[in-house]
Amino acid sequence: MQIRITQIQRFSLHDGPGVRTVVFFKGCPLDCRWCHNPETKQPRPQLLFSACRCIHCGACVQACPYGCHTVQAGRHSFDSTLCTACGGCTAACLPRALEMCGRELSPHEIIETVARDLPFYGEDGGLTLSGGEPMAQPEGVFALLELAKKRGIGTCIETCGFFPEKYVQPLMEGCGHILWDVKDTNSARHRANTGVPAEPILENLRRAAAWAPEKITLRCIILRGVHDRPSYIADIIALARSLGIKKAQLLPFHPFGEGKLAALGLQREPMGREYIPDESILAALQKQLDKGLC
Amino acid sequence: MEHIFYTPCKEGRPVRLSPATRRFAKESLDGQYGRALADSPFLSVDDIENFAELSPLAQYDAAIRRIATEAPLRFCPSELLCGSASLGDAIRHVVPVRYKNQPVFSSVSHVTLGFDKALRLGLYAYLEQLTARIKTAADEREREFLLSLANVFDALRIWHGRYIQALEQLLQSAADPDEKKYYSELLENLRPVPFQKPKTFRQALQALWFLFAFTRLCGNWPGIGRLDVMLGCFLEADLREKRIAPEEARELLAHFFIKGCEWITLGSNGSGDAQHYQNIVLGGSDEKGNDISNSVTYLVLDIIEELPIGDFPIAVRVHANTPPQLLERIGQVIRHGGGIVAVYNEKLILESMAEFGYDPQEALHFANDGCWEVQLSGQTCFTYAALDGFGLLQREVLHIDAPGTETDFPDFESLYAAYGEKLAALISRFHDQADTWGTHALPCSVVSFFTDDCIERARGYFDRGARYTVLSPHLGGIPDAANSLYAIKKLVYEEKKLTLPQLIACLQNNWEGNEPLRRYAQNNYTYYGNDNDEADALAARITADFIGEVRKIKERNGVLRPAGISTFGRQIEWRHHGAAAHGFLDGDILAGNLSPTPGTDLAGATAIIRSHCKCDLSRLTCGTALDIKLDPSCIQGQEGTRAIVRLIQGFVALGGFFMQIDAVDNSVLLEAQKHPKRYQSLAVRISGWSARFVTLNEEWQKMIIERSCQRN
């Protein structure tokens, strides 16, 4: 069995408790407008272009059979709509400005890398499965959780919760921490901004919380002008309390995904900086949330 | 308005000390007291009859007597400890006495003196020992030397007497009861020490400060050593008997640190204005493995958490029984940046010292030389010899500096073998040079006085008087040599992209016309510092071969030669060894110590530590340093503290030697370059010391900025 991933990131401090190694799965059933890992949306390999490495030598233009690359007036541009991910240009690009994002590794190969940081995990650190949506490759998730358990590595998953119901129980039993994304409590907005309805996710959340609410931390995206108001936080609190969940974090929108959209050559309008929430408002909302859950 | 000291932590530094002490700290850190020394740079000995005809030792004795008798006494407002190294020339590493406007003697650094013994016994015990030893002097040379040590004692007594007299006058003319009480307490605590054994924490602290200040007054730059071992018993007794409250002890100790800043001028000085090797060692275990940290350990950390004083770099001996709360405090302090607190892996060091041949019971008391090089303080004459491992590859194997030289090797192993031969020859030359080291006649009786076994042997510090004379060969440039060799292995011998002569020609042209290949070398390979076993194996191999060559001779002609690895800024000097095969241009600043080449470590702090620890450091008895620079995003809140603790625990578990962690935002450094006055107290970790960033020159600032910042 092979797992499609984009990267394995070590010394991560914000993806679960302690020092962690994060495995980013490639592929996600959602299409969140604010996604800051757009290279993880598609399960297939994709070309990534790094402008800071490009020396505009034009080797990619020569190598590409589909005319995806052009270099004009010292500027390189890339049309991803023509790209078949054949890899011809990556081989020709000496500065490695063009790389294929997405590779397949076996669970054992992944765990070998994760296990290297065992001396740093202590009691609270370990492996985090993220992405993308790890549960879009459930066999891979459960293989990694089992291998991690055997090696004494703590486990955590970041999930949007949009996966078949039958996986809820084994996930809750097999994983130490669940970071559950809450995209929106408003159903219409949820569908408009993510491409999927909220209801199946909420149902899974209810089932998961029935098993082990103490393992769950809600992670709530905050867009300025959309979520940054006390009434929305009150909705989050109500949801959490109804399910016995005591931990929640606010994730302020940041535009870090913009650069990746450009790197992928995607013609998609990024969400602008006007969606970045005000820091003092965010602090007040986090305070409201903490108070509401204690 | 309350002054706020810089920190990258969002919640700011704690405020525990009194406003007066914080003000004193601010004044010192602003360079007020250091700049005042420009008014008293040195004392002249032109008036001493026939000075030029005196023997060097007699000249030295006269210089020390002159210093003791006439050096300006300095009292800072509201200070709680007396004594000041008040002659500015000492900051320039000379005895601050001139004859015909020329310094007469250089001074001594990279030495931690036997202050612990002086506190334990009191100086009268030294006088007794000296007096007895003079009677058994074998010849005139011994007698003259021992009398020179007695001159040191007399000088201390004179200088001490002047301070007592001045304090008595100040007390007499004091206007109000508070002032009287203030001077009365200063007098009461200074009067008996350092000649009698201290009876209280304050007396012990005053004794230590006075001795430290005197040795610096005479031009030397000593380290402090194990501060908590020296002072802990006094403080614990005072606390137990309720003679002192913890807050009072903290104020007193803070004054020790603040007074230690009295040489700060905030003038630009290349490697910074805080490089006086004032290292403090904390913590550690006793012979049973029990942790010895005490109230002083924690008070020191409190003070550094509040005041950004990097002038006393701190190294904590971490071991299996280091209390979790001590590790947590270390993590909390590191978060505030400056890299002031570093860690030693005590177990590795003790085993290394025992394996080298030190008595394990003696080795238990190891400290360092004021920087991070491990030694037995109070007993060691130390220096190190800098060896250039990267230049060796570039110039003697690849001949980058000699176009037209035919250089080719049929395979990688024969290339490495050639490097190995040059390395062996370099070390062999070092051993030959080391044979005659340490027998020069620089008079330094002040240092000899506080170094065992100078009295017993009646020989000076530099004259085989110290129990251990150490000349440590320090190889630098290993990461860049290893990365270059790795790139050559890949480019030439595995991928066969070009021949070795063709690659060398590229490097001789500084990669000109070969930018795609240069970028290929830079971006396609995973170099040392990313936990890539293949690349790391080369760094480990060079390290092992270096240590193996050095270890062929552990001691000869009375000179011990424990191996070390360091650069201490030479990575700036060495950057003109030509373009490197790993993609650097001529002039790019190289790796420091045994840390990754700047910009090549892309896999995070844990990967750096793992790579570093693949080098077998168990026989690198003098040591090496790993530099980690964390972005402030890594160090916020309780999670940040815990992350730092985990890095330390992992480092020790994996076999590291010494690690220094800084937390710094590169954007702040760039701001500090534009507006230095706004960032005067911003400290950064350099190597074994921290420095105020604005006092580094441009090259050193560039080196710090280019040091890769680890994010998460």
Side-chain angles (χ1 to χ4, degrees), chain A residues 6-276:
Chain A
T6 57
Q7 64 167 137
I8 302 175
Q9 181 178 286
R10 297 163 73 166
F11 191 57
S12 295
L13 305 179
H14 301 307
D15 299 278
V19 173
R20 307 199 76 86
T21 299
V22 183
V23 179
F24 290 90
F25 282 57
K26 200 171 197 312
C28 182
L30 270 60
D31 192 16
C32 304
R33 288 177 57 213
W34 53 77
C35 182
H36 56 262
N37 289 332
E39 76 282 9
T40 62
K41 158 76 187 149
Q42 294 295 337
R44 58 181 168 80
Q46 289 170 283
L47 191 67
L48 266 183
F49 167 67
S50 173
C52 62
R53 286 183 169 185
C54 180
I55 55 171
H56 313 108
C57 62
C60 52
V61 178
Q62 307 292 326
C64 177
Y66 303 106
C68 301
H69 301 278
T70 49
V71 176
Q72 271 180 348
R75 250 189 116 240
H76 170 280
S77 51
F78 165 61
D79 185 352
S80 65
T81 60
L82 302 174
C83 180
T84 64
C86 69
C89 59
T90 58
C93 179
L94 288 184
R96 218 170 162 193
L98 291 164
E99 289 183 290
M100 205 52 69
C101 173
R103 55 190 168 128
E104 291 191 339
L105 292 177
S106 71
H108 279 97
E109 283 173 307
I110 293 173
I111 283 293
E112 279 314 305
T113 300
V114 176
R116 282 174 172 254
D117 279 353
L118 265 165
F120 305 98
Y121 292 146
E123 292 132 18
D124 50 359
L127 162 69
T128 294
L129 308 179
S130 183
E133 173 51 56
M135 290 304 292
Q137 300 179 66
E139 217 185 320
V141 165
F142 293 117
L144 284 174
L145 291 179
E146 198 181 318
L147 285 173
K149 190 176 173 186
K150 281 185 185 148
R151 299 289 289 264
I153 300 170
T155 52
C156 176
I157 190 168
E158 290 176 311
T159 179
C160 66
F162 191 79
F163 52 83
E165 171 205 332
K166 63 182 178 181
Y167 295 126
V168 172
Q169 179 188 338
L171 184 63
M172 295 311 292
E173 285 175 344
C175 191
H177 302 277
I178 320 289
L179 303 180
W180 197 290
D181 285 345
V182 173
K183 308 293 186 184
D184 211 312
T185 55
N186 177 295
S187 186
R189 245 180 7 222
H190 193 290
R191 185 186 276 276
N193 286 333
T194 70
V196 306
E199 286 71 23
I201 294 173
L202 284 172
E203 269 311 302
N204 273 347
L205 181 59
R206 285 193 189 99
R207 290 183 192 108
W211 275 103
E214 70 285 356
K215 285 189 177 184
I216 301 172
T217 300
L218 299 180
R219 303 237 290 187
C220 315
I221 181 75
I222 302 292
L223 297 176
R224 185 181 185 145
V226 180
H227 307 112
D228 59 339
R229 50 208 65 179
S231 56
Y232 183 74
I233 301 303
D235 287 345
I236 301 287
I237 292 169
L239 174 64
R241 289 181 78 104
S242 72
L243 300 176
I245 294 171
K246 292 193 181 336
K247 294 177 285 186
Q249 290 168 359
L250 301 182
L251 294 184
F253 166 74
H254 62 69
F256 296 160
E258 266 178 40
K260 289 188 188 178
L261 285 174
L264 287 164
L266 292 178
Q267 306 303 320
R268 178 169 159 165
E269 198 59 38
M271 290 191 89
R273 281 159 201 273
E274 64 271 25
Y275 287 101
I276 301 174

Side-chain angles (χ1 to χ4, degrees), chain B residues 381-596:
Chain B
C381 171
F382 172 86
T383 194
Y384 73 95
L387 305 172
D388 180 356
F390 179 60
L392 197 73
L393 175 69
Q394 295 285 90
R395 292 174 194 274
E396 296 194 35
V397 179
L398 300 178
H399 305 294
I400 303 294
D401 57 334
T405 311
E406 295 262 334
T407 306
D408 202 359
F409 296 93
D411 49 50
F412 178 75
E413 282 305 316
S414 52
L415 166 62
Y416 187 88
Y419 180 71
E421 274 169 32
K422 295 292 181 186
L423 187 61
L426 179 68
I427 305 306
S428 179
R429 284 196 299 278
F430 157 78
H431 277 306
D432 290 341
Q433 284 158 6
D435 287 343
T436 56
W437 185 78
T439 54
H440 59 89
L442 177 72
C444 55
S445 299
V446 170
V447 170
S448 303
F449 186 93
F450 292 105
T451 303
D452 292 343
D453 297 314
C454 291
I455 296 178
E456 293 89 335
R457 296 181 186 185
R459 301 192 79 92
Y461 175 82
F462 281 123
D463 191 26
R464 300 285 198 275
R467 186 171 304 167
Y468 305 107
T469 293
V470 173
L471 175 59
S472 176
H474 277 218
L475 189 67
I478 292 177
D480 287 287
N483 285 340
S484 295
L485 285 166
Y486 184 65
I488 294 171
K489 186 179 185 207
K490 291 295 194 190
L491 282 170
V492 172
Y493 297 108
E494 287 183 11
E495 295 172 31
K496 300 192 195 307
K497 285 215 177 298
L498 71 175
T499 65
L500 185 61
Q502 286 170 336
L503 176 60
I504 291 173
C506 281
L507 301 183
Q508 286 166 343
N509 281 325
N510 202 22
W511 289 104
E512 204 176 303
N514 285 288
E515 185 63 8
L517 188 64
R518 184 180 84 84
R519 297 286 188 120
Y520 183 84
Q522 261 191 332
N523 298 333
N524 271 279
Y525 304 132
T526 306
Y527 288 110
Y528 167 75
N530 294 279
D531 201 14
N532 170 13
D533 292 340
E534 205 189 347
D536 296 343
L538 271 171
R541 189 175 175 186
I542 298 175
T543 301
D545 289 346
F546 162 64
I547 294 172
E549 288 300 323
V550 173
R551 275 306 189 88
K552 285 179 177 169
I553 303 170
K554 274 196 213 174
E555 181 270 335
R556 192 165 71 189
N557 283 16
V559 179
L560 299 171
R561 303 123 193 260
I565 291 172
S566 71
T567 52
F568 298 131
R570 289 185 293 283
Q571 64 265 41
I572 299 174
E573 293 166 37
W574 293 344
R575 69 196 200 275
H576 292 303
H577 283 326
H582 60 65
F584 264 22
L585 294 168
D586 181 73
D588 286 339
I589 296 176
L590 307 176
N593 301 318
L594 198 52
S595 304

Side-chain angles (χ1 to χ4, degrees), chain B residues 85-148:
Chain B
S86 58
L87 293 167
D89 263 10
I91 306 177
R92 280 174 280 284
H93 207 302
V94 293
V95 178
V97 154
R98 293 192 194 179
Y99 181 66
K100 308 275 187 237
N101 208 31
Q102 293 297 317
V104 187
F105 296 108
S106 180
S107 58
V108 184
S109 64
H110 286 93
V111 60
T112 293
L113 300 174
F115 296 129
D116 55 332
K117 181 174 155 188
L119 251 60
R120 227 173 31 250
L121 303 179
L123 286 191
Y124 283 137
Y126 285 66
L127 183 64
E128 272 177 46
Q129 186 189 9
L130 252 180
T131 309
R133 183 67 181 88
I134 288 170
K135 290 178 186 159
T136 62
D139 52 33
E140 193 48 39
R141 186 207 65 76
E142 284 196 358
R143 193 181 144 74
E144 199 193 355
F145 171 74
L146 292 164
L147 286 174
S148 180

